[in-house]
Amino acid sequence: MIVSTDFPPGRWRARWIWAEPEGGRPQGRHAVALRAVLDLDRVPERVPTRVVALSGYTLAVNGVEVARGPVRANPRVRPYDDLDLAAHLRPGANVVTALAWVYDGPNPWWLPPSPFGNDLVHGAFVLEARLGPDAWFVTDERWQARVLDGWTATPGGGTVSGRGRELLDARALPANWQHPDHDPGWPAAVLRRAMTTGEPGRPEPPSYPGGPFGGRPISWPRPHETILTPSSAGAYSAEQVLSGTLVVDAHGPAGAQVVVHTAEFVDPSARPAPGEHDASLAVTLDGTRRELESFDSYGLRGVLVEAPDGVTVHRVAVRERTYPVTGDAWFACSDPRLEDIWRVGRRTVTLCSADAYVDCPTREQRAWTGDAVVHQLVDLTTNSDWRLARWHPRLAASPRSDGMLPMAVAGDAEWADFTVIPDWALHWVHSVWNLYRYVGDREEIAELLPVAERVLRWFVPFLDDTGVPTDVFGWVIIDWSAVHTEGVSAALCGLWGRALLEFAELADWLGDRGRAQWARTTHARLVIGFERLWDPERERYADSFANGERRPMASQHGQAAAIVGGLVPAERIERLVAVLTAEEDLVHAAFSAPDGPAEPGSDTEVGGAHLRAGPPKPWWDTGRRVVRAQPFFRYVVHDALAQAGRADLIAGLCLDWVALLARSDTSWSETWYGGTISHGWSSTPTRDLMTRVLGVEPAEPGFAVARIEPALGRLTRASGAVPCPAGPIEVAVTPTLLSVRSPVPFVHAGRSYPAGRHDIRRPR
């Protein structure tokens, strides 16, 4: 939690406000415009300000946007946004305005509070700014407020994106509403009461469900506008996938409507492919030239615009609002293909970084609990701003009553709770372990450790008499490959084993020996029980053991998870490395392609039909072939190889991503064979080129000491800069020389080096 000394604990001076039309409370999704004039003789040196809204807001001073939020969160622990308004104010009259909105129910990026006994659920906004020791500018009934007719949305279409068409009507909002010399004549704002039952409600925060939960935990985005290039048939396109708000600049008769359909791929002669994406924006004009910007965020490579005769569309743009990448991280090597792969992975994670790590900007925008581990690792190794990498594990630490985490948090998936993904919660535990290694904040880990323990103990009722999870329910996805998980799942056991070991390490670090001992004892039983999955004839682990027999199917997932989970005897490691890397035996198999291989670039549909019908029978030779991991699970495969002492193989394996460049050369596809083209979970090589090829990792919690063990593999040179809290660690390596410039001490080849510049000869 971020605690600001500008705002001491206790009641705010501001009040929750909103707007209501004559005739009663507006229903469903709607937006309000809020306005107040702040007169200043002089501008204070600092004007610390905090602000929050129930669903969303955009705040402007004198017509210039200064904030947009809040950060997505469970409403019970939602942080407010804090900023300094001084730079945006001027002597004299200042017009402070807000467009605020409330959704009509849960959606992929918003989880509503309970509708019972609380007026805030119908829309609420609050702001207070400190102008001096006893001078405040606050929201109250002196503000003007108006409900914006026509600013709503159509119902969601029932597709995976969970969204309908956003509607904006210029006729409801005067163009000059932010000018200081224009009074729109709106009525006074309505004060919201926090509670409507029991004792009289208090209209000022902190009030249930929004408590005193601290300031903004992450950085502000730096909006950047990209104007889309028009072509024929109303198509507009960009050079790469973009993520942000849509801007429409158009002129036409009052009541005319401009509709913008978004898509990842745009054919100038046709509409978006049926069912590809259903996100769209409709702007109703007021007879003048107006520029309107969406409230919601969109991901797209292009749009198709429908405009009636008499309407001129001057500009369609995307105002990108992705999380900033700061610092001087970079990577270069002797293979330009890997340099491209590094850049594309960094860009893809940026596209999927907003107020949380999302699966993709073009379709869902959900904050999935498991996907984010790859996004986090890329940020920790390429971005000096680690606040989002730290926030997402806290955001996802939202356990159900049984201790399991929702499959996606702070949105409709958490609200509906229609199933769980047990393995996603285990990837979350790994993200907490990553924070321990890179950040090393004991208070942070102490807060998250009980959540991790409950995740691990959730599996205990599923343990058989040998200590192995059996017939675990929920959606055990692993990834989109054809991995059989019935009965005892090798991949799930491996991930649980890894989580137990990491939890024990965290507990030891915090001095909690009891919890550490429980985890290690539980892990020791798992090691013994897991042996039933070993296939001595084929010398590999089977994917599953069900109905009293070891099944013949095997995958990279099962072997890799067993290694990282500490379940493999040392004498088998070399054999498993061969199983993981024998190209002639690996097969592209996915349940979405029941009759043959899902080859890279085949555009096979990524779907979950088998979740209801059951997995189809294997079409491949299960006695010889091993199912390949999809891009997401490759982070586990690469970790397993590094743990097995074969990090030298990883540079070559990262070249598998070359196959994805033909489909999209600026952001990664969801799978080898199809799906969206902006999935951050596919960006493992960007992390690996820093941590495996350059070899830079923390040697101690908090990165007080680094470990630098480069593994060039097939490369003849590699260089780059990797962020750490003390500053970038610069590395240049060839087969014979390692050059390091480090702001912290580091360990290499069993020897310790002080901070500074070092040239180290490498044995051939």
Side-chain angles (χ1 to χ4, degrees), residues 92-107:
N94 295 267
V95 179
V96 180
T97 59
L99 290 173
W101 57 96
V102 64
Y103 296 111
D104 59 354
N107 63 34

Side-chain angles (χ1 to χ4, degrees), residues 93 158 470 660 691:
T470 305
L660 297 180
T691 61

Side-chain angles (χ1 to χ4, degrees), residues 65 221-225 319-321:
E65 179 185 312
R222 301 167 183 168
H224 170 74
E225 185 170 297
R319 196 158 286 153
E320 284 215 275
R321 296 178 178 275

Side-chain angles (χ1 to χ4, degrees), residues 253-459:
Q257 192 174 74
V258 177
V259 180
V260 181
H261 303 269
T262 68
E264 288 184 320
F265 302 100
V266 173
D267 178 351
S269 64
R271 295 174 58 82
E276 180 194 4
H277 298 293
D278 62 352
S280 59
L281 170 71
V283 174
T284 301
L285 304 177
D286 66 355
T288 68
R289 180 174 176 176
R290 291 292 296 275
E291 176 186 299
L292 292 182
E293 180 178 2
S294 68
F295 290 149
D296 295 345
S297 181
Y298 297 82
L300 55 97
R301 182 77 184 256
V303 301
L304 282 163
V305 177
E306 294 178 352
D309 292 342
V311 169
T312 301
V313 177
H314 298 280
R315 181 171 111 263
V316 178
V318 174
R319 196 158 286 153
E320 284 215 275
R321 296 178 178 275
T322 54
Y323 197 78
V325 179
T326 62
D328 300 313
W330 59 276
F331 175 80
C333 69
S334 55
D335 191 331
R337 295 174 297 176
L338 289 176
E339 296 177 348
D340 289 342
I341 286 168
W342 186 90
R343 285 191 293 268
V344 173
R346 178 57 264 180
R347 170 63 182 171
T348 309
V349 169
T350 295
L351 284 171
C352 298
S353 301
D355 57 350
Y357 292 128
V358 301
D359 61 333
C360 60
T362 59
R363 188 180 66 194
E364 297 186 43
Q365 301 181 21
R366 290 185 176 90
W368 289 83
T369 303
D371 300 27
V373 66
V374 174
H375 307 58
Q376 180 203 44
L377 285 166
V378 170
D379 260 352
L380 289 172
T381 54
T382 65
N383 189 354
S384 64
D385 184 343
W386 289 354
R387 282 174 287 183
L388 186 57
R390 299 173 70 175
W391 164 245
H392 196 104
R394 287 174 51 206
L395 171 69
S398 183
R400 306 172 347 145
S401 59
D402 61 356
M404 177 50 61
L405 301 182
M407 63 182 192
V409 293
D412 50 8
E414 182 173 1
W415 177 82
D417 192 30
F418 54 84
T419 191
V420 295
I421 305 181
D423 37 322
W424 259 216
L426 298 174
H427 291 295
W428 174 84
V429 174
H430 190 61
S431 76
V432 176
W433 185 74
N434 292 335
L435 292 183
Y436 147 75
R437 294 179 66 225
Y438 280 85
V439 180
D441 186 316
R442 290 183 182 273
E443 188 67 25
E444 186 172 38
I445 300 303
E447 180 182 349
L448 296 172
L449 191 72
V451 182
E453 180 181 12
R454 296 195 68 203
V455 166
L456 294 172
R457 289 186 180 274
W458 181 89
F459 290 85

Side-chain angles (χ1 to χ4, degrees), residues 170-245:
R171 296 172 297 182
L173 187 65
N176 58 354
W177 76 290
Q178 295 175 315
H179 292 181
D181 55 354
H182 173 73
D183 183 349
W186 296 345
V190 174
L191 297 184
R192 284 286 192 232
R193 301 185 73 82
M195 297 291 292
T196 57
T197 60
E199 295 184 6
R202 304 208 46 166
E204 70 273 14
S207 46
Y208 186 82
F213 297 117
R216 187 177 178 90
I218 59 176
S219 178
W220 294 93
R222 301 167 183 168
H224 170 74
E225 185 170 297
T226 299
I227 299 175
L228 303 182
T229 303
S231 60
S232 60
Y236 294 70
S237 61
E239 295 181 352
Q240 59 185 353
V241 174
L242 304 172
S243 177
T245 47

